[in-house]
Amino acid sequence: MTDYDVIVIGCGPAGMMACGELAKRGIKVLGVDKKPQLDVNIRTASGYCFLDQPFNKEWIKCTPQGDKTLLEYTDTGFSVNYSGHMEGIHNSHMFSDTGRHWQAKTRVKPFYHTFLPSKCHSDRFAWASAQGAQFMTGTSFINCSQTDKSVEILVRKDGKNKTLTCKKLIAADGLVSRVAKVTGVNANRLNFNMKGPTIEYEMDGVEMPYDRGDAFFFGSKNFGGMAGGVIMVPSPHGPKCYRAETMSVLPASTSTDIIEYFIKKSPFASWFKNIEILEISGVIVEFFGPLNVPQLGNILYVGDSAAYGECLYQCATMCGYKGAECVEMELKGQKGYDEYCEWWADHFEWVRNPKRMADYTKRVLFPRFFTVQELDFLFDLSEKNPIVVDEVEATPYTFTQMVMEQFMAMPEVPEKLKERMQFIIDADMSKVMQVVGQVQKS
Ligand SMILES: Cc1cc2nc3c(=O)[nH]c(=O)nc-3n(C[C@H](O)[C@H](O)[C@H](O)COP(=O)(O)OP(=O)(O)OC[C@H]3O[C@@H](n4cnc5c(N)ncnc54)[C@H](O)[C@@H]3O)c2cc1C
């Protein structure tokens, strides 16, 4: 006899969906999270999502319903409600070290939509609680051990250790998963040694003198000589509201230094002179290759705990749903874990095709393949040859190729630069890592 049928470690987008779906199916489930409150966001996330287009072998149909939104996962077969409207974003900007500007625009279909991460958490928490899921907050997972029939979990709450038991454990504790670490499944994952902090400010009152859209700023001049970047994404909180997050290196304080310099002293500081900061969030990220088989005995690893980088909220949610469905099958003596592992490999392209990790990463790293002068030359050319299309596939996997192909199509671009762009399009993870660091087995 165990305390619970299922314990879920981590109640972010993946874990919360799993808790609610299991409870809805009448399964006794406990969600454990170190956060004291589950309906707020404290972890940086810009809030973009890819709807009404293929992404990770899913097509999420978005239907606005007044001031709410219905999201239907047409491949995995479920739907969720979001209690706000999602904003379609039609413009993408980049600004170089010297302030040169690049822009792409879609006339009809947005590049992507944005949502409020906090609203997502509170919606999912309210829904999961209504289904009867139980939660233990302010509680850290420490360790676990398993037999063929059960899992024993050691957690720590208010300075005291406690043991809990369950038949099945779902690890949904995110990117630097402790469950993955202590159960030894990280041993065969690639460790990209990419570890960095980020701070995000959600700000109202931003005077952005360009078409509303996202903006990527790079080059040390914009950050007072510090290495880093800032990505700013419109927030659906209001027409002058944006979320700006840093790409920074350790120590963690550099992320605050970068964002503070950027909004107060950089050449773009005038955009921020009347801002009100609505939310501050942060996180330290670390990148591993994916778990090809996200399961060990009675433990299933879902969402970012098993991913390369990030699943994003939308796909972490579908991992939570699919995880719950497959764990229920296991509890009934069916081969649910085999089904989950196949679904995982089918949906997340980097499981079977490692180059997709590189394609995903190039979205934020490709400027590093060029000198400041080369980027300025290309950005000046793109002002003369703007990208304006009705619609384009520009997910993180495809964005860099889209930009490179636009540059390559310009007759003024010399052959040598075109070869570099083809090199960037073709680059696998080892080539990307030559630019940013080294790869090793963890
Ligand atoms: C800088 C940045 C920007 C991003 N921007 C976006 C974006 O625009 N759109 C988007 O969709 N996604 C974005 N993401 C990615 C997104 O945040 C993740 O993919 C998503 O949150 C993964 O969900 P998850 O449930 O798997 O893990 P997480 O959201 O990481 O949730 C893990 C949960 O486990 C808990 N936990 C961790 N360790 C323990 C422990 N030992 N004991 C108990 N609890 C524990 C945590 O408190 C947390 O609640 C961004 C991520 C970063 C870092």
Side-chain angles (χ1 to χ4, degrees), residues 167-186:
K167 294 178 188 136
K168 303 287 173 193
L169 179 72
I170 294 183
D173 53 338
L175 202 53
V176 193
S177 164
R178 185 170 174 88
V179 183
K181 185 179 169 196
V182 301
T183 51
V185 295
N186 283 347

Side-chain angles (χ1 to χ4, degrees), residues 112-419:
Y112 59 88
H113 287 75
T114 56
F115 62 94
L116 296 171
S118 275
K119 203 182 270 300
C120 238
H121 286 289
S122 58
D123 286 349
R124 231 56 359 257
F125 176 58
W127 170 78
S129 304
Q131 306 310 310
Q134 297 173 47
F135 295 100
M136 195 178 269
T137 54
T139 305
S140 290
F141 166 88
I142 306 292
N143 212 334
C144 64
S145 58
Q146 59 175 322
T147 65
D148 59 340
K149 289 206 165 45
S150 65
V151 188
E152 188 177 278
I153 295 142
L154 179 68
V155 296
R156 193 161 177 83
K157 184 177 171 66
D158 299 329
K160 291 194 186 105
N161 287 351
K162 190 174 167 57
T163 301
L164 300 163
T165 57
C166 58
K167 294 178 188 136
K168 303 287 173 193
L169 179 72
I170 294 183
D173 53 338
L175 202 53
V176 193
S177 164
R178 185 170 174 88
V179 183
K181 185 179 169 196
V182 301
T183 51
V185 295
N186 283 347
N188 291 319
R189 293 172 85 172
L190 286 172
N191 181 351
F192 294 108
N193 273 332
M194 282 196 287
K195 190 170 183 176
T198 177
I199 286 279
E200 182 176 66
Y201 286 4
E202 185 183 21
M203 299 170 284
D204 200 6
V206 178
E207 304 284 352
M208 183 181 177
Y210 293 90
D211 296 331
R212 182 163 164 86
D214 59 71
F216 181 11
F217 305 84
F218 44 84
S220 58
K221 271 197 190 155
N222 294 325
F223 312 114
M226 293 174 275
V230 165
I231 299 173
M232 199 165 93
V233 174
S235 156
H237 254 142
K240 290 187 176 180
C241 199
Y242 289 82
R243 301 175 78 91
E245 76 189 27
T246 63
M247 289 171 60
S248 4
V249 292
L250 288 167
S253 57
T254 56
S255 48
T256 310
D257 295 342
I258 283 180
I259 194 121
E260 284 290 317
Y261 186 93
F262 179 68
I263 63 171
K264 289 180 182 154
K265 295 186 186 155
S266 78
F268 304 94
S270 62
W271 300 10
F272 304 100
K273 60 181 189 302
N274 296 318
I275 56 159
E276 179 193 352
I277 295 176
L278 303 182
E279 187 180 285
I280 296 181
S281 54
V283 65
I284 293 182
V285 290
E286 196 175 355
F287 288 86
F288 291 95
L291 276 178
N292 291 345
V293 179
Q295 180 252 330
L296 181 74
N298 293 303
I299 307 172
L300 188 67
Y301 305 81
V302 302
D304 279 10
S305 72
Y308 166 67
E310 58 182 18
C311 292
L312 296 180
Y313 274 46
Q314 61 190 93
C315 298
T317 302
M318 80 187 188
C319 290
Y321 173 85
K322 190 69 190 175
E325 184 181 75
C326 293
V327 163
E328 184 190 35
M329 287 169 68
E330 285 285 329
L331 290 170
K332 289 178 175 163
Q334 299 159 3
K335 292 201 171 300
Y337 286 162
D338 289 353
E339 180 168 323
Y340 185 88
C341 293
E342 203 167 313
W343 175 89
W344 169 252
D346 260 1
H347 282 74
F348 293 91
E349 295 182 42
W350 21 250
V351 177
R352 293 201 177 115
N353 177 6
K355 175 160 183 292
R356 291 313 249 171
M357 294 191 272
D359 293 341
Y360 203 93
T361 311
K362 288 172 208 168
R363 167 75 180 91
V364 289
L365 291 182
F366 82 80
R368 297 206 199 173
F369 287 83
F370 297 102
T371 64
V372 172
Q373 292 75 17
E374 287 168 342
L375 280 173
D376 283 352
F377 169 71
L378 293 169
F379 281 18
D380 283 347
L381 278 183
S382 74
E383 288 273 288
K384 281 194 254 160
N385 306 276
I387 308 182
V388 183
V389 291
D390 283 348
E391 62 181 80
V392 65
E393 198 191 326
T395 67
Y397 294 113
T398 51
F399 183 85
T400 306
Q401 180 157 351
M402 187 267 292
V403 176
M404 293 304 116
E405 284 173 353
Q406 186 246 354
F407 287 143
M408 287 161 88
M410 295 175 190
E412 300 94 329
V413 174
E415 279 311 309
K416 266 202 136 168
L417 264 185
K418 286 187 185 167
E419 279 167 25

